Amino acid sequence: MHRFYRASAALFAVLAAILFGTPASAEIVLDYTHDTGFFSSNATAKAALEAAASDINAVLNLNLDAITDDTVTGNGGGGTVLNFDFRYQYTNPATGASVTVNDTTTPANEIRIYVGMRNLTGSTLGQGGSGGSGIAIGGVSGSGPISAAIADAQASYQHRRNEGPVIGTLSGNVSGNSFSFEMGPALGNLWFDQDTNNDGATDSAAVLNANWHFDHTTSVAAGKDDFYSVALHEMLHSIGFGGSETWDDLVSGTDWLGSEVIDLNGTGTGIIDGGGAHFAAGLMSTRITDGMAQEVVMDPTLTTGTRKYLTDLDVALLRDIGYLNASAVPEPSTWFALAMIGGGACYRRRRQRAKQSMEAAADV
Ligand SMILES: [Zn+2]
């Protein structure tokens, strides 16, 4: 009996790992901490948002290392020790306030996106961006070189997460000794417009329903903006489209330099919007779901009454910046320092009758 029990326990452990363990691939986890009641009372909108995350997660194919060491200690010998205490920063989606996360420990494969609603002016439907990061440095001076302590810390820090894009690089110096930490994807933020009639007040449910099309399972009503489509677009910004170091390295003016997009499209020349965070307006591709022609999700604008799904070119962007198992190619008192990096981008509505004028202004 005893042995049988042990075997059962082992089996349960295996099942638990399958059922509750680390996801096999990196995935977006939506965080409703800052929801002020909208998503908790609008199950249809929440379902559309979750569907957008699910559709992106189905494409992602990479492994992001867990971050178990929030503070990384570098030992320079002779009693010289440096402590690099990492922190993350994101924008409260409801208020716009900057939120600092002091404990950066993160489960493997998790990218946490904080979501919410906010009153936006003009034709902006939503905004999304990756989070920022910072570092506080403390230490003890000894006879060993500071540069050795820095090298020791850089050799063991986990915030690069091994795969995926470099969101940004934290760099600085301690007593003239430079340090540099590339940061991988860990968190982001996105929000949607809840002042659709631009009267300066948060819309009633009736007004929101008159301007947003929340149900991702039905065709988009004429004149309405599709919530799912905006969610898909902003979520891609949240994981580094238009606001990460790897993305920026692949943009040169209006040219895209990534080989996957170039191979698929035939050229990268002139296919990036002037703002540098989107494809050029009107670029067409094919939907991954059914191969039908469709304007890319990462177009700067969305036409009312229409829905977008991921296209081959959007997926090629994901591949180029390292989200499809293509390992990125990283290079891998002054006793206290603080540095922050961050990014953000937005998405604008395009009215069908005002296509040309809106395109000129459509940008981050
Ligand atoms: Zn955008």
Side-chain angles (χ1 to χ4, degrees), residues 32-262:
Y32 296 89
T33 300
H34 301 289
D35 176 33
T36 53
F38 174 79
F39 287 108
S40 59
S41 62
N42 190 333
T44 305
K46 185 174 180 180
L49 185 56
E50 293 284 347
S54 178
D55 288 348
I56 293 173
N57 288 342
V59 173
L60 300 186
N61 182 16
L62 75 162
N63 292 301
L64 295 176
D65 288 351
I67 300 166
T68 56
D69 297 330
D70 173 51
T71 297
V72 179
T73 299
N75 197 322
T80 298
V81 174
L82 279 179
N83 293 310
F84 294 87
D85 184 1
F86 289 84
R87 64 273 323 273
Y88 288 136
Q89 174 270 328
Y90 65 90
T91 302
N92 180 320
T95 66
S98 179
V99 181
T100 299
V101 179
N102 282 311
D103 179 1
T104 59
T105 57
T106 306
N109 285 332
E110 176 183 295
I111 306 173
R112 185 164 292 267
I113 307 293
Y114 295 87
V115 299
M117 301 291 287
R118 200 192 301 181
N119 293 355
L120 299 174
T121 58
S123 60
T124 303
L125 293 168
Q127 294 177 313
S130 57
S133 52
I135 198 169
I137 307 166
V140 178
S141 180
S143 61
I146 292 171
S147 59
I150 290 172
D152 187 41
Q154 287 186 161
S156 64
Y157 85 106
Q158 302 167 329
H159 294 73
R160 175 64 187 89
R161 310 198 74 183
N162 194 40
E163 291 191 343
V166 175
I167 300 299
T169 299
L170 287 169
S171 58
N173 75 85
V174 180
S175 299
N177 299 276
S178 62
F179 64 83
S180 178
F181 296 96
E182 289 182 332
M183 305 292 285
L187 49 76
N189 40 247
L190 68 84
W191 50 87
F192 303 84
D193 185 22
Q194 62 175 2
D195 178 19
T196 57
N197 60 8
N198 289 319
D199 67 355
T202 300
D203 292 339
S204 65
V207 173
L208 286 174
N209 282 313
N211 290 303
W212 280 112
H213 182 95
F214 290 117
D215 190 347
H216 72 290
T217 68
T218 60
S219 298
V220 186
K224 294 190 180 184
D225 295 305
D226 184 43
F227 201 75
Y228 168 89
S229 300
V230 176
L232 202 61
H233 178 106
E234 303 308 338
M235 229 170 271
L236 292 173
H237 280 314
S238 298
I239 63 172
F241 279 44
S244 62
E245 198 168 305
T246 298
W247 174 282
D248 291 345
D249 286 347
L250 291 170
V251 173
S252 176
T254 59
D255 298 341
W256 182 258
L257 308 179
S259 60
E260 295 290 340
V261 168
I262 292 172

Side-chain angles (χ1 to χ4, degrees), residues 126 128 233-234 237 277-278 297-301 345-348 363-364:
H233 178 106
E234 303 308 338
H237 280 314
H278 299 96
V297 170
M298 291 318 291
D299 186 278
T301 62
C346 72
Y347 197 21
R348 292 169 194 267
D363 212 332
V364 286

Side-chain angles (χ1 to χ4, degrees), residues 45 113 118 307 312 356:
I113 307 293
R118 200 192 301 181
R307 173 167 299 134
D312 288 335
Q356 298 309 319

